[in-house]
């Protein structure tokens, strides 16, 4: 064949499908290169070369991975759906063969030339006989395959051309890809008909065998039903004769049910199931399902109550022994236990412990159970999206089982355990139901006295169960569920709290697990603080425990080498055990500078400094906001600029500063995303400083949302932000007046080292923060409630160093 007849076409490989001329085919295109081939054909003359893959498992086939003979097709329709497959409808035109591949980066391209076939105007007697044989074979095939449309047989009967007949039949029967490809590549019409007839005869034989197997299986099922009927008759005859002694086990089961003294409704239901079991043949699937159900219901603690010993002094002592700090949580728990001690009828509010990971929510709940003598069980709810996980699966389903609540009660073996519902904020829902809605009945003391699990299908009293839930984010808990719980916030640990937890709890625990004695290991207090400051950055203490364990592992190696050795760890040699420091100190101003302000931000691992810079330059009134600022923080910057503009006359500013200058606000550490409204006063202070060329005090940090009229509004996370200021050596912290009430819950350490200045307007902020002589006076709220200086004099330079924040975004 002459290559001059070839044409360059995009190639579309198909998996498990062979295309024939005059065949209409629709299919979905998912692969990127296949979509590119379809697009190239659409952009061209609508022609596409379609062929089958040699191996359907190849995801990105090359020219060598496909059959060389295929069909040149015309694209009839292309339907594109966003984020889904492309639906393509093509019509086969003529056989073609790949001559050579054509270089293309987007899809397979090849030079295609016609793959000619014999054209006969007259047919021999043998050709006619083969055509008749093929039609008769196809009729037999249709008898065994009733799913084929009836008009196909009519079209085949009207076909009088051997090549078209063979192609049409081959495209409508179920044959292997290799056989269909052989038919496609066979040019001789007589040979093509013979190959197709042989393949169909073999397929008909296989289908006949399958039909025989199905008929035999059906007869066996009918036989088993007949046997079941006869067994039932035999049971009746034995009962009449008094000779049936095969049900002693069921009688024993009835006796056990009676001994359990179950509620009347439960006992009646179990006896009914025993009667059903008695009528079923031994060893059937249904009998095993009933036996499992009866055993599960009988194992539930219907009448078993563990003895509760509520001694508030003992509980307080154990909680203090197991957990450092968390005084608010411990106080709330003792209050609920005191009510339970006074009144057995008081069910109490469901406690929900909310706080960041690693602060001890689950462990303190487990300690409560140990302290009051209740058996406890943790129920993990993170990622649960099926309602049946809470309420159980109905017995109509295969492998059905009780829900997690009933299963936990069963494991405890008592009707009044302590159930810890962990990660309740991470429940999700889909088409299988909403598990958070199923928990509404579980946690409602007015309803859970008759909780019905779908598997048990009997009311079970959960009113004596003590529930404690945990969550990381209270806002993620559905409102109806949150309304049933008393939310107690567990804030992130301060630096001193982490030190005490490490020294009193984590180190002794890990030394015991590692087999290291006190005489062989010493770590200084400064060493522990260095681990906290430079190797961990978290709200809880999980990473701190890991780092301490890493130190102990290295110490264990040294102790094994010399059992008399004493491993001493301090802040000086800590890098020999943990490597280079992972984190450095917060970035803060070294001296009073113009346009540079120490802001405060909250992150998921605690508070951090958020320095903000502002520069005012001659320009055309553009406002540049940089530093990975979120939408809320950008709006806060605009509000800060408006607040300063409203005070142009008061501060004697240039009335057109916002027209004739470009204002650039930048938050340091630009790679870290930042958002939130509480950097408003920081931005306004930086802008005022830049406009008036007055420096900002380096020993002052601030937080607060600002309104366009200059009012300072309250913020959240004040404790974490104040801790960041304390760690950075800041002396004075400016806070919104409405946040002054939060100081009552601060640690004495913070109150002794920081002066808090509650303010209501930006004027008070500027009077405190601007390091200029004669600034307006402002009132301060010292940690110990002492009056502070009424003048905003410049302070001495603070000795501060830089550090990197956690990769998690900061909220201003």
């Amino acid at each position: 064949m002459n290559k001059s007849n070839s044409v360059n076409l995009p190639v579309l490989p198909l998996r498990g499908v062979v295309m024939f001329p005059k065949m209409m085919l629709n299919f979905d295109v998912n692969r990127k290169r296949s979509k590119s081939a379809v697009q190239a054909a659409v952009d061209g003359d609508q022609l596409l070369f379609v062929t089958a893959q040699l191996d359907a498992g190849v995801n990105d086939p090359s020219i060598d991975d496909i059959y060389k003979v295929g069909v040149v097709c015309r694209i009839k329709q292309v339907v594109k759906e966003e984020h889904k497959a492309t639906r393509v409808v093509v019509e086969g035109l003529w056989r073609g063969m790949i001559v050579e591949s054509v270089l293309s980066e987007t899809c397979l391209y090849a030079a295609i030339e016609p793959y000619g076939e014999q054209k006969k105007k007259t047919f021999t007697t043998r050709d006619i006989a083969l055509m008749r044989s093929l039609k008769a074979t196809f009729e037999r095939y249709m008898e065994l395959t009733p799913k084929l449309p009836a008009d196909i047989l009519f079209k085949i009967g009207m076909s009088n051309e051997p090549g078209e007949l063979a192609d049409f039949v081959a495209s409508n029967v179920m044959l292997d890809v290799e056989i269909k490809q052989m038919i496609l590549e066979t040019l001789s019409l007589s040979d093509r008909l013979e190959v197709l007839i042989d393949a169909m005869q073999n397929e008909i034989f296989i289908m006949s065998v399958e039909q025989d197997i199905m008929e035999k299986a059906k007869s066996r099922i009918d036989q088993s039903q007949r046997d079941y009927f006869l067994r039932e008759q035999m049971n009746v005859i034995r009962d009449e004769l008094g000779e049936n002694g095969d049900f002693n086990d069921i009688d024993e089961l009835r006796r056990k049910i009676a001994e359990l003294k179950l509620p009347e409704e439960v006992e009646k239901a179990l006896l009914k199931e025993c009667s059903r079991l008695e009528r079923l043949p031994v060893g059937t699937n249904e009998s095993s399902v009933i036996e499992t159900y009866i055993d599960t219901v009988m194992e539930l603690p219907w009448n078993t109550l563990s003895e509760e010993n509520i001694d508030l002094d003992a509980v307080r002592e154990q909680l203090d022994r197991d957990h450092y700090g968390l005084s608010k949580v411990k106080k709330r728990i003792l209050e609920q236990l005191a009510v339970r001690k006074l009144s057995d009828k008081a069910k109490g509010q469901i406690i929900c412990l909310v706080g960041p990971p690693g602060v001890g929510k689950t462990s303190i709940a487990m300690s409560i159970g140990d302290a009051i003598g209740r058996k406890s069980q943790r129920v993990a709810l993170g990622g649960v999206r099926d309602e049946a996980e809470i309420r159980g699966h109905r017995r109509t389903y295969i492998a059905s089982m009780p829900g997690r609540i009933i299963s936990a009660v069963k494991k405890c073996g008592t009707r009044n355990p302590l159930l810890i519902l962990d990660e309740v904020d991470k429940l999700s829902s889909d088409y299988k139901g909403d598990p958070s809605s199923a928990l509404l009945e579980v946690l409602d003391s007015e309803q859970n006295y008759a909780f019905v699990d779908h598997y048990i299908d009997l009311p079970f009293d959960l009113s004596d169960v003590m529930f404690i839930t945990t969550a990381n984010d209270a806002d993620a808990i559905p409102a109806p569920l949150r309304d049933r719980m008393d939310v107690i916030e567990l804030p992130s640990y301060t630096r001193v709290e982490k030190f005490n937890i490490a020294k009193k709890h984590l180190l002794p625990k890990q030394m015991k697990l590692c087999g290291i004695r006190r005489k062989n290991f010493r770590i200084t207090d400064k060493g522990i603080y260095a681990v906290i400051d430079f190797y961990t950055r978290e709200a809880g203490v999980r990473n701190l425990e890991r780092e301490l364990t890493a130190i102990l592992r290295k110490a264990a190696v040294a102790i094994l080498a010399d059992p008399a050795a004493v491993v001493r760890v301090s802040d000086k040699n800590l890098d020999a055990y943990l490597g280079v420091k992972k984190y450095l100190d917060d970035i803060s101003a070294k001296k009073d500078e113009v346009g540079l302000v120490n802001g405060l931000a909250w992150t998921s691992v605690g508070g951090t400094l958020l320095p903000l810079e502002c520069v005012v330059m001659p320009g055309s009134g553009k406002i540049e906001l940089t530093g990975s600022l979120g939408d809320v923080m950008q709006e806060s910057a605009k509000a800060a600029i408006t607040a300063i503009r409203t005070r142009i006359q008061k501060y004697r500013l240039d009335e057109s500063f916002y027209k004739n200058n470009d204002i650039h606000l930048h938050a340091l550490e630009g790679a870290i995303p930042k958002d939130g409204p509480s950097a408003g006063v920081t931005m306004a202070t930086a802008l005022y400083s830049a406009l008036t060329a007055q420096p900002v005090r380096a020993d002052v940090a601030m937080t607060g949302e600002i309104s366009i009229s200059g009012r300072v509004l309250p913020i959240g996370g004040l404790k974490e932000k104040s801790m960041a200021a304390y760690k950075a050596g800041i002396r004075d912290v400016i806070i919104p007046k409405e946040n002054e009430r939060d100081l009552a819950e601060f640690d004495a350490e913070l109150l002794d080292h920081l002066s808090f200045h509650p303010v209501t307007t930006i004027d008070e902020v500027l009077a405190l923060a601007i390091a200029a002589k004669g600034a307006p006076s402002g009132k301060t709220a010292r940690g110990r409630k002492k009056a502070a200086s009424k003048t905003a004099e410049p302070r001495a330079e603070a000795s501060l160093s830089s550090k990197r924040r956690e990769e998690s975004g900061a909220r201003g």
Side-chain angles (χ1 to χ4, degrees):
M1 293 185 183
N2 190 357
K3 284 189 178 183
S4 61
N5 296 330
S6 64
V7 59
N8 293 340
L9 294 176
V11 179
L12 179 64
L14 294 181
R15 294 175 172 174
V17 178
V18 178
M19 188 76 185
F20 287 91
K22 296 186 179 182
M23 174 183 174
M24 293 290 293
L25 182 65
N26 65 84
F27 51 89
D28 291 335
V29 177
N30 288 289
R31 294 181 287 193
K32 183 177 179 181
R33 287 169 65 86
S34 297
K35 289 182 179 179
S36 300
V38 172
Q39 187 61 44
V42 171
D43 294 339
D45 52 5
Q46 307 291 318
L47 295 181
L48 185 70
F49 183 71
V50 178
T51 185
Q53 288 186 204
L54 292 169
D55 182 4
V58 178
N59 192 44
D60 190 11
S62 63
I63 290 293
D64 297 330
D65 297 322
I66 60 177
Y67 288 100
K68 298 300 183 286
V69 177
V71 175
V72 176
C73 301
R74 184 179 302 278
I75 295 178
K76 289 294 185 180
Q77 186 180 20
V78 176
V79 179
K80 296 182 179 179
E81 298 182 9
E82 188 177 359
H83 305 302
K84 294 183 179 179
T86 301
R87 174 58 61 91
V88 182
V89 180
V90 297
E91 178 186 14
L93 299 179
W94 41 271
R95 283 175 168 82
M97 182 175 68
I98 297 176
V99 179
E100 62 181 357
S101 62
V102 177
L103 183 62
S104 174
E105 296 181 357
T106 59
C107 63
L108 292 178
Y109 252 95
I112 310 298
E113 66 179 17
Y115 188 74
E117 62 180 37
Q118 299 176 357
K119 298 291 184 181
K120 289 186 177 182
K121 295 183 179 179
T122 59
F123 306 109
T124 64
T125 304
R126 187 170 184 275
D127 293 336
I128 296 172
L130 287 172
M131 291 172 63
R132 289 182 179 178
S133 177
L134 178 58
K135 292 178 181 180
T137 303
F138 189 81
E139 289 181 5
R140 173 60 178 158
Y141 179 85
M142 282 198 66
E143 293 175 2
L144 298 173
T145 313
K147 295 181 181 180
L148 290 175
D151 61 339
I152 291 179
L153 189 60
F154 175 77
K155 292 179 181 179
I156 290 176
M158 297 298 294
S159 178
N160 295 316
E161 203 282 322
E164 292 182 2
L165 176 62
D167 291 345
F168 184 80
V169 172
S171 64
N172 283 281
V173 297
M174 297 294 294
L175 297 174
D176 293 337
V177 174
E178 293 79 8
I179 296 175
K180 286 192 174 184
Q181 185 66 30
M182 183 175 18
I183 295 171
L184 181 68
E185 294 178 2
T186 303
L187 294 179
S188 171
L189 299 181
S190 300
D191 294 342
R192 192 185 305 170
L193 290 169
E194 286 185 358
V195 171
L196 182 56
I197 291 171
D198 290 341
M200 289 189 63
Q201 291 286 2
N202 183 60
E203 186 68 20
I204 288 171
F205 176 77
I206 294 174
M207 293 170 66
S208 299
V209 174
E210 288 180 349
Q211 192 174 38
D212 292 339
I213 293 173
M214 292 293 291
E215 291 177 354
K216 290 179 180 179
K218 183 180 179 181
S219 65
R220 290 194 189 100
I221 293 174
D222 293 339
Q223 181 65 31
S224 64
Q225 291 176 340
R226 176 178 174 274
D227 293 342
Y228 170 76
F229 179 74
L230 292 176
R231 286 195 191 95
E232 290 297 313
Q233 286 185 324
M234 290 175 62
N235 290 335
V236 173
I237 295 171
R238 287 175 178 173
D239 287 338
E240 292 293 328
L241 296 175
E243 298 176 355
N244 196 345
D246 299 333
F247 299 101
N248 293 331
D249 293 340
I250 296 178
D251 293 337
E252 180 68 16
L253 197 59
R254 288 193 179 100
R255 186 184 61 80
K256 290 181 179 179
I257 293 172
E259 290 177 352
L260 289 176
K261 304 295 182 183
L262 300 174
E264 182 180 355
E265 182 180 358
V266 178
E267 183 174 344
K268 184 177 179 181
L270 290 182
L271 292 176
K272 183 178 179 181
E273 293 296 326
C274 289
S275 300
R276 288 184 57 203
L277 180 63
E278 192 174 24
R279 293 192 298 268
L280 290 175
V282 178
T284 61
N285 291 333
E286 189 175 0
S287 64
S288 62
V289 170
I290 295 176
E291 289 174 0
T292 303
Y293 170 76
I294 294 175
D295 291 341
T296 303
V297 175
M298 290 176 63
E299 290 173 2
L300 288 177
W302 296 95
N303 300 313
T304 305
L305 290 171
S306 58
E307 184 177 352
E308 188 177 64
N309 181 23
I310 299 179
D311 184 344
L312 295 186
D313 292 334
V315 173
R316 185 184 294 109
E317 181 181 348
Q318 177 150 352
L319 292 179
D320 290 338
R321 184 171 61 251
D322 294 344
H323 299 84
Y324 180 84
L326 303 176
S327 57
K328 181 181 177 182
V329 180
K330 296 174 183 177
K331 181 180 178 181
R332 174 63 184 84
I333 291 168
L334 290 173
E335 290 171 356
Q336 179 161 336
L337 294 179
V339 173
R340 284 181 174 270
K341 180 73 171 178
L342 292 175
S343 174
D344 295 335
K345 297 180 180 180
K347 304 302 179 183
Q349 185 77 7
I350 307 300
I351 296 177
C352 179
L353 304 178
V354 177
V359 296
K361 300 183 296 295
T362 304
S363 61
I364 197 171
M366 299 289 284
S367 295
I368 295 170
D370 296 338
I372 64 178
R374 285 197 182 211
K375 295 183 178 179
S376 57
Q377 189 71 30
R378 174 178 172 268
V379 180
L381 298 179
V384 173
R385 62 180 62 187
D386 188 356
E387 179 186 352
E389 293 287 336
I390 306 298
R391 286 190 170 276
H393 303 76
R394 297 192 183 278
R395 282 185 288 157
T396 53
Y397 298 106
I398 298 175
S400 58
M401 62 183 69
R404 298 195 180 197
I405 302 299
I406 291 295
S407 296
V409 173
K410 177 184 170 184
K411 288 180 181 178
C412 291
T414 177
R415 208 181 69 208
N416 62 340
L418 170 63
L419 295 189
I420 304 165
L421 307 183
D422 219 0
E423 310 292 354
V424 73
D425 59 326
K426 295 179 176 59
L427 288 169
S428 56
S429 59
D430 60 8
Y431 67 94
K432 297 179 180 178
D434 185 2
S436 63
S437 299
L439 274 180
L440 295 177
E441 181 185 356
V442 174
L443 299 181
D444 193 340
S445 58
E446 301 298 327
Q447 302 179 44
N448 61 11
Y449 66 89
F451 175 71
V452 177
D453 184 276
H454 286 164
Y455 180 82
I456 304 299
D457 202 22
L458 293 167
F460 188 87
D461 187 3
L462 294 178
S463 61
D464 292 316
V465 178
M466 184 177 179
F467 291 100
I468 296 181
T469 64
T470 71
N472 297 131
D473 183 8
D475 294 334
I477 305 174
L481 190 58
R482 188 171 62 247
D483 184 59
R484 284 164 166 77
M485 299 184 293
D486 185 7
V487 177
I488 300 177
E489 297 280 350
L490 276 75
S492 56
Y493 289 123
T494 64
R495 182 170 178 261
V496 174
E497 286 175 337
K498 291 181 180 180
F499 169 78
N500 283 281
I501 292 171
K503 189 171 184 179
K504 297 178 181 179
H505 299 281
L506 303 183
L507 260 178
K509 171 187 171 183
Q510 292 302 325
M511 288 178 66
K512 183 177 180 181
L513 292 175
C514 295
I516 297 177
R517 299 179 180 179
R518 292 182 179 272
K519 66 178 183 180
N520 296 115
F521 181 79
R522 296 285 189 275
I523 182 170
T524 64
D525 292 350
K526 289 185 178 180
I528 298 176
Y529 275 119
V531 177
I532 297 170
D533 293 337
F534 304 121
Y535 293 92
T536 64
R537 189 60 50 86
E538 58 180 339
V541 292
R542 284 178 181 160
N543 289 328
L544 175 59
E545 186 173 9
R546 293 190 187 100
E547 297 298 337
L548 293 175
T549 306
I551 296 174
L552 292 172
R553 286 199 300 266
K554 291 180 173 59
V557 175
I559 294 171
L560 281 178
D562 181 8
V566 179
V567 178
R568 303 182 185 275
V569 181
S570 68
D571 58 326
K572 306 297 183 184
N573 65 347
L574 191 59
D575 55 350
Y577 295 88
L578 296 179
V580 296
K581 296 177 180 179
K582 296 179 181 179
Y583 306 99
L584 302 177
D585 289 337
D586 274 333
I587 299 172
S588 61
K590 299 289 185 181
K591 61 181 180 179
D592 299 349
E593 295 186 27
V594 174
L596 178 59
V597 186
N598 291 322
L600 295 172
W602 179 93
T603 70
S604 60
V605 295
T608 183
L609 280 185
L610 181 64
L612 284 169
E613 287 183 321
C614 181
V615 177
V616 178
M617 304 164 289
S620 57
K622 295 180 181 178
I623 299 174
E624 293 288 342
L625 303 174
T626 57
S628 298
L629 307 185
D631 294 338
V632 177
M633 204 165 184
Q634 292 186 31
E635 292 177 358
S636 186
K638 296 174 183 177
I641 295 172
T642 301
I644 296 299
R645 285 180 59 185
T646 60
R647 286 163 168 73
I648 287 178
Q649 299 293 337
K650 182 175 182 178
Y651 297 139
R652 298 177 183 177
L653 302 175
D654 182 4
E655 294 186 358
S656 57
F657 78 85
Y658 58 90
K659 296 180 181 179
N660 302 327
N661 296 284
D662 290 344
I663 299 173
H664 190 161
L665 279 166
H666 176 68
L668 300 186
E669 299 189 14
I672 300 175
K674 309 168 188 73
D675 204 0
S678 61
V681 295
T682 311
M683 293 177 172
T685 304
L687 175 59
Y688 175 83
S689 173
L691 288 171
T692 61
Q694 298 183 70
V696 181
R697 289 170 51 189
D699 60 345
V700 171
M702 62 186 67
T703 181
E705 182 179 355
I706 194 169
S707 70
I708 58 176
S709 62
R711 292 184 297 116
V712 179
L713 305 178
I715 47 84
L718 182 60
K719 182 179 180 181
E720 288 81 2
K721 295 176 181 179
S722 302
M723 192 66 202
Y726 167 56
K727 288 171 61 179
I730 299 293
R731 296 181 180 181
D732 299 285
V733 180
I734 299 174
I735 63 173
K737 178 69 174 178
E738 295 184 37
N739 284 111
E740 188 176 9
R741 60 181 182 271
D742 296 337
L743 301 179
E745 298 183 2
F746 278 25
D747 298 330
E749 182 185 11
L750 286 178
L751 299 176
D752 289 340
H753 290 82
L754 293 177
S755 291
F756 294 92
H757 304 263
V759 296
T760 56
T761 65
I762 187 63
D763 304 313
E764 299 175 57
V765 176
L766 298 177
L768 292 164
I770 300 300
K773 299 287 186 180
S777 64
K779 294 181 179 180
T780 62
R782 184 68 173 173
R784 292 182 176 179
K785 303 299 180 184
K786 294 181 180 179
S789 173
K790 293 187 177 181
T791 58
E793 295 293 334
R795 300 301 180 95
E797 176 182 342
S799 176
L800 308 172
S801 53
S802 63
K803 81 175 179 185
R804 292 192 176 276
R805 285 193 292 271
E806 187 74 12
E807 293 182 359
S808 59
R811 294 188 61 83

